[in-house]
Amino acid sequence: MSALEIYAGPRAKSQIEENGLDPAQFSLLVGASGGPKWFVLYGLDRFLFGEYFASRDKPLMTLGSSVGAWRLCCLGTATPLRAIDELAARYSRETYSAQPTVEEITEKMRSMLAAALGSSGAGEIAANQLIQTHIVADRCKGLAGSESANLQKLSLAGSAIANVFSRRSLSWFFQRTIFTTMRASGRDQSPFCSLNDLDTVIVPLTEDNVSDAMLASGSIPFLLEGVRGVKGAPKGLYWDGGITDYHFDLPFHLIEGLVLYPHFSPTITPGWFDKKLFWRQPPLEHFDNVVVVTPSAEFMARLPGGKIPDRNDFQRYSEGERLANWRRVLDSSHELALEFAELVENPDRLVVRDFSERPV
């Protein structure tokens, strides 16, 4: 049974059926939010970082929110395999007190990211001309940026309600902030500078703000503290980039080249508040040049509990069971890497489904 499923938009499908999975075709690598759901992609990440893109000689853009940003920042370091291994090990072994505080969780996440980056990782990411990093975080507007938790909750509830009627309403409450090593103008301009679906600002990613941008991108409201005082960025409170860009609904089709999107699910949920809005689907044209690589249903059925990990595992299992299950998922994730590598070497075995056929 296949461990992988591959979905692609019409342009991408035609191109990889003709040229196979040649890494030179891809100009952008995408990573979604999702917390420990990422563990199922760990083995595939190691292959992409350590072999598939290792000999690349032209720039590769990366775009991630929350844990997706954390993963792709590892690629931007000088030692991506060490970084991704450290991130996986630390994340999968996280334990907390019986009633963890926001402060405790925030400090553990900051420590985990520091370990993944190492002493020089932030500078390596900022200076990397080959891996062009983009990290999405959301700056709070109005009451959401208040020091009062009650006012923050009121604003968050309001944004969730408004989002039911229009995704564009998120701009009343948040400003999508993209921290990037690319420029906001000129020859090396980021393709995301022209986004107009939501209020968006581009901020230079520097050695001084890499750590804060990463933490902000994964700061789930009321689970983590959020981040204030990010150097070089507009003043305010920054929360999880998944609020606006959970799985991303961006005009990828305007980007030259193909987009590789390793994802833990074939479903694409644009923003955090869209999880239960089954009608909120990205336009198919946005994914015309996107290749989505995802674990198959058969593969996921063989995982502990017949599912990929998620944050509810903290309540679903005892601490020992959770840690053992997460370790098993990390070990099993290498199956995806082996199968992807085989498809790279044997393109005649590729089975590519149309993006429109994926379950929603």
Side-chain angles (χ1 to χ4, degrees):
M1 292 185 292
S2 176
L4 282 178
E5 291 179 349
I6 298 178
Y7 298 89
R11 174 153 57 106
K13 186 173 186 291
S14 174
Q15 192 164 324
I16 64 174
E17 285 178 341
E18 179 178 352
N19 302 323
L21 291 170
D22 181 356
Q25 299 173 104
F26 296 101
S27 59
L28 174 64
L29 180 63
V30 177
S33 301
K37 295 175 184 177
W38 157 66
F39 295 152
V40 76
L41 299 175
Y42 165 63
L44 184 56
D45 280 350
R46 289 195 92 256
F47 174 73
L48 296 178
F49 296 2
E51 297 184 45
Y52 191 64
F53 289 124
S55 59
R56 192 175 180 90
D57 58 4
K58 65 178 182 178
L60 175 70
M61 295 179 291
T62 68
L63 173 70
S65 62
S66 196
V67 75
W70 298 355
R71 294 162 49 208
L72 298 181
C73 279
C74 293
L75 177 57
T77 69
T79 54
L81 291 184
R82 183 213 62 80
I84 199 73
D85 286 347
E86 190 70 28
L87 179 64
R90 294 267 184 155
Y91 201 159
S92 64
R93 296 171 187 164
E94 281 294 341
T95 58
Y96 301 98
S97 58
Q99 297 293 328
T101 63
V102 168
E103 292 77 13
E104 176 188 352
I105 298 173
T106 301
E107 183 53 37
K108 289 214 171 189
M109 291 296 103
R110 188 178 286 280
S111 176
M112 178 184 72
L113 295 179
L117 289 177
S119 60
S120 58
E124 291 162 1
I125 292 168
N128 198 326
Q129 299 298 306
L130 198 59
I131 304 300
Q132 300 172 324
T133 301
H134 294 75
I135 300 172
V136 181
D138 290 323
R139 185 177 69 85
C140 299
K141 292 182 176 181
L143 296 180
S146 168
E147 297 285 353
S148 167
N150 288 332
L151 291 179
Q152 290 174 355
K153 291 176 182 177
L154 180 63
S155 180
L156 200 65
S159 63
I161 293 171
N163 178 73
V164 173
F165 300 97
S166 172
R167 178 165 154 76
R168 286 184 175 270
S169 68
L170 290 176
S171 292
W172 302 343
F173 304 90
F174 303 99
Q175 181 180 56
R176 175 199 282 141
T177 306
I178 303 178
F179 295 86
T180 178
T181 57
M182 298 184 73
R183 298 181 184 275
S185 62
R187 192 167 62 89
D188 193 29
Q189 177 178 326
S190 168
F192 303 109
C193 289
S194 58
L195 292 178
N196 59 12
D197 59 322
L198 299 175
D199 181 14
T200 302
V201 65
I202 302 294
V203 174
L205 187 63
T206 68
E207 182 175 1
D208 291 334
N209 65 20
V210 165
S211 296
D212 278 346
M214 290 177 69
L215 183 62
S217 185
S219 289
I220 300 172
F222 312 117
L223 189 64
L224 276 78
E225 292 176 327
V227 181
R228 295 183 187 271
V230 182
K231 289 185 178 181
K235 293 182 178 179
L237 174 66
Y238 287 82
W239 268 344
D240 197 310
I243 296 174
T244 56
D245 298 281
Y246 191 58
H247 296 165
F248 294 101
D249 173 15
L250 300 178
F252 292 126
H253 65 298
L254 300 180
I255 294 174
E256 185 177 349
L258 300 187
V259 178
L260 182 59
Y261 190 172
H263 195 23
F264 45 77
S265 166
T267 62
I268 305 292
T269 302
W272 195 27
F273 298 124
D274 298 325
K275 294 179 182 180
K276 296 183 180 180
L277 307 185
F278 61 87
W279 64 88
R280 182 75 46 87
Q281 296 295 318
L284 293 179
E285 67 172 350
H286 284 186
F287 284 74
D288 182 45
N289 60 331
V290 178
V291 178
V292 178
V293 180
T294 184
S296 68
E298 292 81 6
F299 173 84
M300 290 191 283
R302 301 198 303 270
L303 298 176
K307 67 171 197 65
I308 60 177
D310 58 53
R311 288 194 295 114
N312 291 328
D313 288 354
F314 282 95
Q315 291 76 44
R316 186 178 288 118
Y317 303 115
S318 69
E319 183 176 281
E321 290 173 328
R322 175 179 61 82
L323 294 177
N325 287 347
W326 284 6
R327 181 70 256 172
R328 286 176 58 194
V329 173
L330 289 174
D331 291 341
S332 298
S333 72
H334 295 286
E335 291 183 38
L336 276 63
L338 291 172
E339 185 166 321
F340 189 83
E342 184 175 336
L343 293 175
V344 172
E345 294 298 322
N346 300 280
D348 57 303
R349 299 180 185 177
L350 268 172
V351 176
V352 184
R353 303 182 186 184
D354 193 277
F355 182 78
S356 63
E357 297 175 359
R358 71 204 159 74
V360 297

